[in-house]
Amino acid sequence: MGSGELGVETVATVDAVDTRTRSAVITARAAATFDPVGRSVATARSFVRDTLQGWGFSDIVDDAVVLTSELVTNAVVHAGTAADVECLRSEDAVRIEVSDRYPEREIPLQQSSVNMGSPDREGGRGLQLCAALASRWGVDYTPTHKQVWFQLDLPHRPVGTRSAGPSLPAALLPIADGRVRVAVIQIDRPGAISAWNEDAEELFGYGSEQVMGKPLSDLAAWPHTPGTSTGIAEALQLSRWEGSYGVRGADGCVIPVYASHLRVRDADGEPSTVCLLVRDDERAVLQTPLRGAPPEPGSRTEPHATDPFEVFIGSPAPDDLDGLLQRTVERARDMLDGDAAFLLLATDDETELEVRASTGLPSARQRFARVQVESAPGRYGSARMPAVHEDLTVVPGAVPLLAGTGMRSVVTVPLKVEGRLTGSLGVAAEASGRYSNEEALRLQFAADRIALAVESARLGELERLRRGSLSFLVEASDLLAGTLDRDQTLALMAQMTVPTLATWCAVYTIADQSAEPYLSYVLHEDEERIDGLKALLSKISPPDPVPTPGARIWAAPSEAAHQAALRTSMRSLGLGEPMTLGSGIGTTLSTASAVGGETVVLPLVARNRVIGMLTLGKPADEHFRQEILELAEDLSRRAALALDNARLYSERMAISQSLQRSLLPPGLPPVPGVEVEVIYRAAGEGNEVGGDFYDLFPIRDGAYGFAIGDVCGTGPEAAAVTGLARHALRLLAREGFGGPAVLERLNAAILDEGARSRFLTLLYGELWPQEDGSAVLKVVCAGHPLPLRLRQDGTVEPYAEPQPLLGVMDDLELYEQTMTLDPGDVLLCVTDGVTERREGTRMLGDDGLADVLTTCTGLTAGAVAARIMRAVERFATDAPSDDMAILAMRVPGLQKD
């Protein structure tokens, strides 16, 4: 029957059994429409998953998601129409309907003999899956719509049971070490601990009074990799979370735990998180059971259901590599009835294998440890071939990963994708002779089935890591480029690595080729351990400054820390030298734990010279993963260049400032009977001298010369002319030349500079204090702003006449003016940076300066200069763009007895 044979009123139903579910009592309904785009398939999967989990039907979530994905793909990708998805809940089943707007296709009927195609064919798999997974399914269609539906029956359980497993013999039950302790911790909205039970005290060593009110993040050793993982703050905000992390105990060691978090509300409606924690090797107490319980003894099962790997594939999220690997090693151990299992992934160059998951082994010590792919000649020394070792005591070192673990027999098989080695899976037992080639074949069969899923998840993690690394390096480059201060650069280097790349960091710097490396900066993620770490590193020789790129292992810190901890423990037992004040066993053991893991050194090479070393460390037998070391190497190259730039900038600034200070007067000499104050501001960052200058110096007995000038421009070029002018003024004045002759000869010297010459405005004068308390001045004003005189009655007037500036004409005819400052008078001299101070179109000007000066009657010379500078600064909000100099002289008059 084709679709064209149907009328509008007709609904054809394809159902091999019946359609009672549709007419059953519907207790809940959820519906959504998805656009005809590729991303809608993932959105539809999430919609169905969230709906069924919200209803508490986690047992059928995976089947429902698979079927929905196929049917929605048919609608939005192949048919190219929007898809309507509706979830219906009844008492004993869930029905999901997927409708599209492409009814013209021929619909294969379940009771007919229509061939639905090969499983490998692109089309038709959705209906095949419905037939294989659903308890009922069917197709309803009209001239405008087609609807494919399927029903999944809910498992029969006792009332209130969410999941249940079969009765098992005692020998098959999980093993617990002594009494099982479940720590119950409650976290309030800000993330602080609000409840801490007795089992938590026993597990971690802290009393409740020590931890109440502290953030859980202070105790949690959360696995963090750039661009991957969920942080602890994010995990505490989720409605439910389950997984592994570490908790730092009171002794400083990290205790691996398995946790289950549940977000709840208290009686006041405030959200909080209840955390249940057990030791990681006792995770069976809390771990959510896998979908589908093992069958009852004697029950009939499908052949493929006996494969334990097929049960859990798809249970972890597709991008959850760690979850997938952990499930793999646990299933492999159970499948071969082993005591331990481990899984290693190959590095990019396939020369090394990196431990990524283990069970029954000290995972904290083994995680990210690396072993060679070809550890020894021959088949049994290569990870590329299956291998069975009946007794490791006969061949010590055959499996380096198991050294010192007590395991005697082991079977290992490779994980390969298209002939390329991607990893290695192993199962070990404490007894010898436990495994044969038959177990190796079983494990290899399982490894072949899981290899593609592992490689896919690994590539996904690698892509996220690369994106996170790129973002990290971009941010690091921006931060390092934003400063030229050496100390700040050192601090940034350490803060970017801790805790993102390492638990602690130390930066050594080398001043020059002949100098020894110097410990410049130390940082630990726990601030209380920084001092102990710094003291430890100060007592050992620094690493050798080898320019070879890449990270190299440095064992000295770990060895020194362990030796110090041993000596301290012996002293505490009275077996060694008496303990000295401040060398407590707690501090020493804490430091030993902090640096007890892997330590690596990366050279800081800039401009073909080693300028330092970046040292990264892990605590308590932890290892660095290869991707982190590669990221640290990229960071070290950027940090080295930034540190060398900061060094060059500091050296050049020191030279520049030293030269600039040599252009300023060494100090103002005291002038009898006259108060003198100078304020000088050079424009531009880092400039101490610009185009403005001043001077006050003794000429001969009783006579003093003073000058204030302005060279065209700012910066070093202008400063060079100021040095010429100031030194020439002193030399010529002390040779006995008068004011006009001094300026005329200075004008000739400036013109002799040729292309480097710049014109100069200058106010030069000579001062003679008098016995009656007054002062006589002879002044020449060569193109400079006129000096202002403030009388005691508050009047302000110019105190000289303008004349041509210097550096422009060869022949100058200048003259000097003689005047007297009475007691109480003030003479104010400024450069044009003061009078030309602007705010938009407004300018302070000569009149504005005179207005400010009128308010300075009765003030000392220092107070007058300070008030003028404050008025200039307040006149505009922008930073000054021109140099400024203020010279104030006041004649206070004779003091009466």
Side-chain angles (χ1 to χ4, degrees), residues 603-682:
L604 298 174
V605 181
R607 299 176 175 91
N608 298 321
R609 186 173 73 88
V610 180
I611 63 171
M613 285 86 70
L614 178 64
T615 304
L616 307 179
K618 287 280 191 179
D621 298 324
E622 289 190 19
H623 296 268
F624 287 96
R625 59 184 305 181
Q626 189 63 35
E627 292 85 352
I628 294 298
L629 294 179
E630 293 172 358
L631 181 58
E633 186 177 357
D634 286 339
L635 176 64
S636 68
R637 287 194 291 266
R638 290 164 169 79
L641 188 59
L643 185 61
D644 200 47
N645 288 340
R647 177 188 63 83
L648 293 174
Y649 178 78
S650 299
E651 290 178 356
R652 293 181 181 181
M653 280 296 298
I655 295 172
S656 173
Q657 290 171 358
S658 176
L659 292 174
Q660 289 184 65
R661 282 192 292 269
S662 69
L663 301 177
L664 293 173
L668 298 178
V671 180
V674 179
E675 297 174 359
V676 180
E677 181 66 28
V678 173
I679 296 179
Y680 185 83
R681 298 284 190 274

Side-chain angles (χ1 to χ4, degrees), residues 103-290:
E104 291 82 3
R105 281 191 172 183
E106 180 181 358
I107 304 300
L109 305 183
Q110 209 173 27
Q111 63 265 40
S112 67
S113 60
V114 176
N115 181 12
M116 290 184 286
S118 167
D120 298 326
R121 196 166 60 90
E122 183 64 24
R125 290 184 305 190
L127 300 180
Q128 279 193 321
L129 286 173
C130 286
L133 299 179
S135 54
R136 296 181 179 88
W137 68 278
V139 180
D140 301 339
Y141 57 95
T142 70
T144 58
H145 287 75
K146 180 189 71 183
Q147 180 189 86
V148 181
W149 62 268
F150 60 87
Q151 175 183 306
L152 298 173
D153 291 339
L154 300 178
H156 296 287
R157 302 178 185 151
V159 176
T161 301
R162 182 175 182 272
S163 63
S167 299
L168 294 176
L172 298 181
L173 297 177
I175 299 175
D177 184 12
R179 175 189 168 190
V180 176
R181 298 188 181 275
V182 180
V184 181
I185 306 172
Q186 193 154 357
I187 313 298
D188 59 17
R189 180 195 290 268
I193 298 172
S194 58
W196 184 270
N197 73 339
E198 293 182 359
D199 279 0
E201 295 183 12
E202 291 292 333
L203 281 175
F204 309 125
Y206 300 103
S208 59
E209 69 281 354
Q210 296 177 271
V211 297
M212 295 293 283
K214 291 186 176 181
L216 180 62
S217 56
D218 288 356
L219 305 179
W222 197 266
H224 181 73
T225 300
T228 65
S229 303
T230 300
I232 184 170
E234 292 80 7
L236 293 175
Q237 297 299 318
L238 299 175
S239 60
R240 182 178 290 278
W241 184 89
E242 187 175 317
S244 299
Y245 54 91
V247 175
R248 295 184 185 88
D251 59 357
C253 296
V254 175
I255 303 168
V257 297
Y258 191 84
S260 176
H261 298 174
L262 177 66
R263 191 95 163 136
V264 298
R265 286 188 300 167
D266 60 20
D268 298 328
E270 284 294 315
S272 62
T273 304
V274 177
C275 305
L276 306 180
L277 299 90
V278 297
R279 293 185 180 274
D280 193 58
D281 55 5
E282 297 172 345
R283 62 170 57 199
V285 176
L286 298 180
Q287 191 168 30
T288 301
L290 299 174

Side-chain angles (χ1 to χ4, degrees), residues 699-775:
I699 300 176
R700 47 191 175 273
D701 293 340
Y704 295 85
F706 67 91
I708 183 169
D710 183 3
V711 177
C712 174
T714 59
E717 296 83 1
V721 179
T722 67
L724 170 65
R726 193 176 67 79
H727 290 95
L729 285 175
R730 287 194 172 210
L731 178 63
L732 294 171
R734 287 171 175 171
E735 288 294 324
F737 293 99
V742 168
L743 268 60
E744 289 168 1
R745 285 166 173 75
L746 176 60
N747 179 64
I750 293 174
L751 292 174
D752 287 343
E753 291 292 307
R756 297 182 298 175
S757 66
R758 290 169 176 259
F759 63 80
L760 166 68
T761 68
L762 180 64
L763 173 68
Y764 174 74
E766 296 179 356
L767 171 69
W768 286 272
Q770 303 298 306
E771 294 182 356
D772 61 357
S774 63

Side-chain angles (χ1 to χ4, degrees), residues 369-393:
R370 291 175 296 279
V371 297
Q372 295 293 323
V373 170
E374 311 289 349
S375 58
R379 169 182 173 179
Y380 293 101
S382 172
R384 302 181 187 276
M385 300 291 290
V388 176
H389 295 275
E390 295 184 352
D391 194 345
L392 292 178
T393 58

Side-chain angles (χ1 to χ4, degrees), residues 389-464:
H389 295 275
E390 295 184 352
D391 194 345
L392 292 178
T393 58
V394 178
V395 190
V399 183
L401 184 63
L402 299 180
T405 62
M407 301 297 164
R408 295 187 62 181
S409 57
V410 61
V411 53
T412 60
V413 297
L415 275 72
K416 294 184 178 181
V417 176
E418 297 179 352
R420 182 172 55 85
L421 179 70
T422 61
S424 177
L425 177 63
V427 178
E430 295 179 353
S432 61
R434 284 283 299 276
Y435 303 116
S436 63
N437 290 341
E438 181 180 352
E439 282 81 9
L441 289 174
R442 292 177 58 198
L443 189 62
Q444 184 67 71
F445 177 73
D448 292 341
R449 301 196 63 180
I450 197 66
L452 185 60
V454 170
E455 179 66 3
S456 177
R458 186 188 73 86
L459 293 176
E461 181 195 66
L462 185 60
E463 178 63 23
R464 291 190 300 276

